[in-house]
Amino acid sequence: MSVNKARYDSYRSELDAVIKNIEHVIVGKKQISELSLVALLAGGHVLLEDVPGVGKTMMVRAIAKSLGLQFNRIQFTPDLLPSDITGVSIFNQKEMNFEFRPGPLMGNVVLADEINRTSPKTQSALLESMEEKSITIDGHTHILPNPFFVMATQNPIEYEGTYPLPEAQLDRFLLKLNMGYPTPDEEMSILNLMIHDHPIDNLKPVVTSGQLQEMKQKVTEVYVDDTVKKYIIDLVNRTRNHRSIYLGASPRGSLALMKASQALAFIMDRDFVVPDDVKYLAPYVLTHRILLKPEARFEGESAESVVMELLNRVPVPIQKGQHAR
């Protein structure tokens, strides 16, 4: 076995350990765990949209604990100010200078809970930091920790008193995921897990920050053939010309789909992307990046159904060869 192959086997073992660790807390959501790791390894962020009580917060905490990363939670409310999340400069009378007091954004894994309950001004402060990986206070730029990973949540049912994210801001999230309700058997397992204490309290890190950074670098080296790139471009371009779509996905959508596919290939123990990676990820990457026409929504169409229609229409390329380790 080559050193390279042995190291890739080690990556696979480490990622499996993270997913199994999360499953000690979150029952029956392996797919969501894997997709969250896809976003993290690709350097992106996740929007979790689901009803209260299905484990969104616990998912984020379990990821942070499993990776040994600093976890910060921000509960978004209508009166929250940008400085409440970024931090402020305070005058130190003893030292006779201003010193920076960091806000909760200065963490590795940040839970932006109910992001649609705060004002657009505060939303913008968060989304700017997600894009730039830095914050500016009183003219001074402060680099955010590396890795910096945001998982934002919002309730899709209760819209009273909320500020829905505009399309330009939704575009900043690499993936949009839904947890979903557990099955009756999974819910029984949850009750059994929680009967004495919460398993999150006993969760230990299984991967170091150094190992995570190494994996993130390896993801960027995953090979993407031109045929796969053309498939991505074709899919995204069709969203700009579809009869039911008012606003199609931007080039940022193409880039997000490619980077997410690289991360998924890596998690699947491959150093090359296949068209099926793109096809699997497209609904999670594209549905929140398109805006339907009012008449399409009136007729019962959804962003998900349109993306699935495009996936069925766009021919999947057949690659002649693959890169292998």
Side-chain angles (χ1 to χ4, degrees), residues 92-132:
N92 187 324
Q93 292 186 339
K94 184 178 180 181
E95 301 292 334
M96 297 301 291
N97 60 15
F98 284 91
E99 59 183 35
F100 175 60
R101 298 286 178 87
L105 272 184
M106 280 290 178
N108 296 118
V109 178
V110 177
L111 169 62
D113 211 0
E114 294 189 289
I115 186 175
N116 57 333
R117 291 206 172 276
T118 197
S119 68
K121 189 174 183 178
T122 305
Q123 289 176 1
S124 296
L126 170 69
L127 294 163
E128 181 183 0
S129 68
M130 289 164 51
E131 184 74 14
E132 304 297 334

Side-chain angles (χ1 to χ4, degrees), residues 81-293:
L81 299 174
S83 58
D84 292 331
I85 65 173
T86 60
V88 294
S89 291
I90 297 178
F91 186 72
N92 187 324
Q93 292 186 339
K94 184 178 180 181
E95 301 292 334
M96 297 301 291
N97 60 15
F98 284 91
E99 59 183 35
F100 175 60
R101 298 286 178 87
L105 272 184
M106 280 290 178
N108 296 118
V109 178
V110 177
L111 169 62
D113 211 0
E114 294 189 289
I115 186 175
N116 57 333
R117 291 206 172 276
T118 197
S119 68
K121 189 174 183 178
T122 305
Q123 289 176 1
S124 296
L126 170 69
L127 294 163
E128 181 183 0
S129 68
M130 289 164 51
E131 184 74 14
E132 304 297 334
K133 301 294 194 295
S134 64
I135 53 177
T136 302
I137 307 294
D138 295 334
H140 296 283
T141 299
H142 303 272
I143 305 300
L144 293 169
N146 187 16
F148 176 67
F149 177 55
V150 173
M151 291 188 79
T153 71
Q154 63 179 11
N155 181 353
I157 304 300
E158 188 180 351
Y159 285 111
E160 186 176 349
T162 63
Y163 303 85
L165 291 174
E167 279 65 34
Q169 294 183 346
L170 283 171
D171 204 23
R172 285 349 189 238
F173 290 97
L174 185 73
L175 305 177
K176 181 182 176 184
L177 307 177
N178 301 88
M179 295 283 289
Y181 286 117
T183 65
D185 288 342
E186 290 167 351
E187 200 156 359
M188 176 62 76
S189 298
I190 292 170
L191 296 182
N192 290 332
L193 277 173
M194 307 289 181
I195 198 165
H196 296 299
D197 52 19
H198 203 297
I200 192 72
D201 298 329
N202 302 314
L203 214 61
K204 304 296 181 184
V206 292
V207 169
T208 67
S209 178
Q211 290 171 323
L212 176 62
Q213 296 292 4
E214 185 181 347
M215 286 189 278
K216 287 184 67 177
Q217 176 58 39
K218 288 297 179 183
V219 165
T220 66
E221 300 171 10
V222 172
Y223 176 74
V224 187
D225 192 76
D226 282 349
T227 58
V228 177
K229 292 175 187 173
K230 289 177 182 176
Y231 180 48
I232 291 171
I233 292 170
D234 196 7
L235 275 173
V236 173
N237 191 60
R238 296 285 185 102
T239 68
R240 302 166 191 163
N241 301 289
H242 194 278
R243 68 186 186 284
S244 300
I245 298 177
Y246 172 72
L247 179 68
S250 70
R252 186 184 282 122
S254 303
L255 186 60
L257 192 48
M258 183 183 73
K259 288 186 174 296
S261 297
Q262 286 179 294
L264 179 63
F266 181 82
I267 288 177
M268 294 294 109
D269 201 25
R270 280 185 276 106
D271 57 3
F272 57 89
V273 174
V274 297
D276 279 348
D277 296 328
V278 177
K279 192 170 184 177
Y280 171 70
L281 287 168
Y284 305 107
V285 175
L286 297 180
T287 53
H288 62 289
R289 300 176 192 273
I290 62 176
L291 186 63
L292 294 187
K293 293 178 180 177

Side-chain angles (χ1 to χ4, degrees), residues 33-43 174-175 260-261 263-264 267 281:
S33 301
E34 287 183 343
L35 288 168
S36 299
L37 288 178
V38 163
L40 177 58
L41 291 172
L174 185 73
L175 305 177
S261 297
L264 179 63
I267 288 177
L281 287 168

